[in-house]
Amino acid sequence: MTDTVIVRFEGGGSGVAELSWGQHEIWYVIRDKSDSLPIGGVRALQPGQTVADVAAGLRFIMSRHQSLRTRLRLASDGLPQQVVHACGEIALEVVDAGDGDPAEAAAAVVAGYMTRNFDYEHEWPVRMAVITHHGAATHVAEIYCHLAMDGFGLAALREDLASHDRTGPAPAPVTAMQPLEQARRQRGPAGRRAHDASMRYFERLAASVPDHQFSELADKQQPRFWQVIYESPAGYRSSRTLAARLGVSTSPVLLAAYAVALSPLTSSQSVAVQLVVNNRFRPGFGGSVSTLAQSCPCLIEVGDARFEEVGVRAWHSALVAYKHAYYDPVGKDEVSRRIAAERGAELALGVFFNDRRVRSRELADSVSGDVATPGEPPSLRAELTRSTLTWGERNDMPADKVFLYINDTPDTLCYELRADSHFVSPADMAALMRRIEAVLVAAAVGDTAFEDAALGDTAEGGTGAVPAMDAVR
């Protein structure tokens, strides 16, 4: 049984403006995929919280964050505007789980929400339900349109909501720059300077990007785009060892392992990777509940170098990409078209890396104890037996050639690959996932021969085998 509670809200700031750069970049993806790319999920409520408490929390975030009070104004030229409303109302669903498992009921609500694209012109970018079980509120099912926020924005929102739920002083006013102000500043002189600097970097890098990184395969799978997920406790320990050794965070270590693992599949000694960059390190953006992530390419030379050297190269390349992942997507499209016309071919920039860890990344980077050191291969070999490879979705939704996500999973390294099977076969996808782990472990123990052992260990058993077509779900 489902009831509805109408939640009214009112907040500061309203108006109409062009999209911010982060909104515009994700809008291109949403438009091309015909998918709202919702983020969110299920969260358990603390005992004693009520439906009224959840409604109060929904009112709080809707009033506080302009991105949740934003709808689009679509135009015939394909360039929408953001319309931020000062007030309104939204429906909070109340779903009775009956005698069933309330967590399962919440997951089913989220799954139902995910099947419907948002109505960008007429619907708020929030869908939320509170699940009750024998009269008590137990879970919240919630999703947000990707136009409203990226993954780090969702983390900021949940922290904000948690501060509202805690007893004590009221949360401080929002100081992070909201989308209307982002758009205004990005169209000003400082925004133009940042964009121009990013385009100069992009043009310099484009001169070194290979014409193509993958060749089209004769054996084409249908559906075309495949997903595979790998969990590696050994990779987790090894990445922390290497990060401590190199004096960097685990993110460039994982980027380097990705580049090294990709190299056998490409036609070049250098791997071009587009980094998805969380721009909240920029002044005024910290803790912003909005879409700020933008992608920027970097080039990592692999060759026959030792992993530590590739790791340092990846770190330097990533730092430069972070600096330049702030630009007007419309202007970048114009530059890309001009470069492609001059080269006579599109740039080979279909490889992506998105480290979307929030809390687990902080934990991985903050502690350097109890990690692998040279001379401990037996313990890591035992860890390798715990690795799992799981095949996921297959579909024909347009996507990039190779996209690696580092998932926010504590105490393990969980990475997810989505790839175009017309360019990277399922067997090569599985090999790539194992190779990332093997590269990390071999480098961590200081024994390059250990890579072969790692690959052999993780290839054993049935979990990593490339499944028959009818076995993939």
Side-chain angles (χ1 to χ4, degrees):
M1 182 178 69
T2 301
D3 292 325
T4 300
V5 174
I6 299 301
V7 176
R8 293 178 174 82
F9 55 85
E10 182 176 357
S14 63
V16 181
E18 295 178 302
L19 297 184
S20 69
W21 290 347
Q23 287 173 325
H24 216 141
E25 180 150 327
I26 198 63
W27 172 250
Y28 279 164
V29 181
I30 287 171
R31 180 197 63 190
D32 293 344
K33 291 179 177 289
S34 298
D35 190 302
S36 299
L37 304 176
I39 58 176
V42 175
R43 56 183 171 92
L45 292 172
Q46 294 295 321
Q49 287 191 294
T50 65
V51 172
D53 292 330
V54 176
L58 178 57
R59 179 179 299 107
F60 171 75
I61 60 174
M62 294 295 295
S63 301
R64 189 166 167 83
H65 299 291
Q66 288 181 10
S67 61
L68 303 184
R69 293 184 274 115
T70 298
R71 293 169 174 166
L72 295 188
R73 178 178 294 171
L74 302 180
S76 58
D77 62 4
L79 298 178
Q81 294 177 306
Q82 56 172 316
V83 182
V84 180
H85 296 257
C87 59
E89 57 183 37
I90 186 170
L92 170 67
E93 293 188 308
V94 182
V95 178
D96 183 3
D99 293 327
D101 184 333
E104 292 180 1
V109 171
V110 167
Y113 284 165
M114 292 280 194
T115 61
R116 297 181 286 113
N117 279 342
F118 280 87
D119 181 340
Y120 310 110
E121 291 186 281
H122 305 105
E123 183 182 5
W124 303 118
V126 183
R127 293 175 184 156
M128 186 178 293
V130 57
I131 313 302
T132 63
H133 187 238
H134 297 161
T138 61
H139 295 78
V140 170
E142 58 188 351
I143 69 166
Y144 303 89
C145 178
H146 217 327
L147 271 166
M149 69 192 74
D150 51 31
F152 287 89
L154 177 60
L157 178 73
R158 286 181 169 166
E159 177 60 29
D160 215 18
L161 188 56
S163 70
H164 175 258
D165 290 340
R166 292 192 289 264
T167 59
V174 174
T175 57
M177 196 183 305
Q178 302 210 50
L180 277 179
E181 180 66 9
Q182 291 173 28
R184 186 186 69 80
R185 295 200 182 191
Q186 287 162 353
R187 267 66 186 183
R192 177 49 53 188
R193 288 193 296 271
H195 171 78
D196 289 346
S198 295
M199 293 305 98
R200 288 193 294 272
Y201 162 78
F202 183 62
E203 293 196 58
R204 289 195 304 271
L205 183 133
S208 303
V209 171
D211 288 336
H212 66 278
Q213 296 197 89
F214 304 97
S215 298
E216 193 165 359
L217 302 176
D219 183 16
K220 294 180 170 60
Q221 304 290 338
Q222 291 296 334
R224 178 171 178 170
F225 299 97
W226 289 47
Q227 175 196 34
V228 61
I229 300 168
Y230 202 83
E231 289 207 33
S232 172
Y236 176 74
R237 290 182 55 195
S238 298
S239 65
R240 295 170 68 207
T241 296
L242 293 164
R245 187 181 302 167
L246 296 175
V248 299
S249 73
T250 53
S251 194
V253 168
L254 298 175
L255 174 62
Y258 183 39
V260 172
L262 273 171
S263 187
L265 300 179
T266 70
S267 56
S268 173
Q269 293 297 298
S270 297
V271 178
V273 182
Q274 295 234 57
L275 305 185
V276 178
V277 178
N278 168 26
N279 273 310
R280 285 170 180 78
F281 61 87
R282 299 181 184 277
F285 288 168
S288 177
V289 177
S290 64
T291 299
L292 284 167
Q294 292 191 257
S295 62
C296 187
C298 69
L299 197 63
I300 303 169
E301 185 180 350
V302 177
D304 296 323
R306 294 176 63 249
F307 180 82
E308 284 80 356
E309 184 175 348
V310 180
V312 171
R313 292 172 184 171
W315 177 61
H316 284 294
S317 295
L319 284 180
V320 179
Y322 294 159
K323 178 180 177 181
H324 293 105
Y326 189 58
Y327 53 82
D328 179 358
V330 176
K332 185 185 178 186
D333 276 359
E334 294 171 356
V335 173
S336 298
R337 286 193 296 269
R338 175 171 55 76
I339 293 173
E342 293 169 355
R343 291 169 62 111
E346 296 286 337
L347 289 172
L349 294 176
V351 176
F352 284 77
F353 176 86
N354 185 2
D355 186 349
R356 52 188 180 186
R357 295 173 297 165
V358 181
R359 181 59 180 157
S360 65
R361 181 175 177 177
E362 294 174 356
L363 292 172
D365 292 346
S366 64
V367 181
S368 58
D370 77 333
V371 293
T373 57
E376 290 185 352
S379 60
L380 271 180
R381 191 182 296 273
E383 291 276 57
L384 286 166
T385 64
R386 298 171 54 203
S387 302
T388 60
L389 184 150
T390 306
W391 292 96
E393 299 174 353
R394 294 180 304 161
N395 58 56
D396 286 314
M397 183 185 296
D400 299 289
K401 288 188 176 67
V402 181
F403 206 133
L404 186 75
Y405 299 88
I406 310 299
N407 291 329
D408 199 6
T409 307
D411 301 323
T412 188
L413 175 59
C414 177
Y415 47 105
E416 170 188 336
L417 182 73
R418 293 179 181 265
D420 183 347
S421 67
H422 289 193
F423 289 89
V424 182
S425 70
D428 281 339
M429 292 177 203
L432 172 62
M433 302 299 267
R434 296 191 184 100
R435 195 178 298 118
I436 290 171
E437 175 186 62
V439 166
L440 290 168
V441 171
V445 300
D447 182 2
T448 55
F450 193 75
E451 182 174 341
D452 292 335
L455 283 167
D457 285 348
T458 55
E460 292 176 1
T463 59
V466 177
M469 295 296 288
D470 59 358
V472 182
R473 289 174 172 76

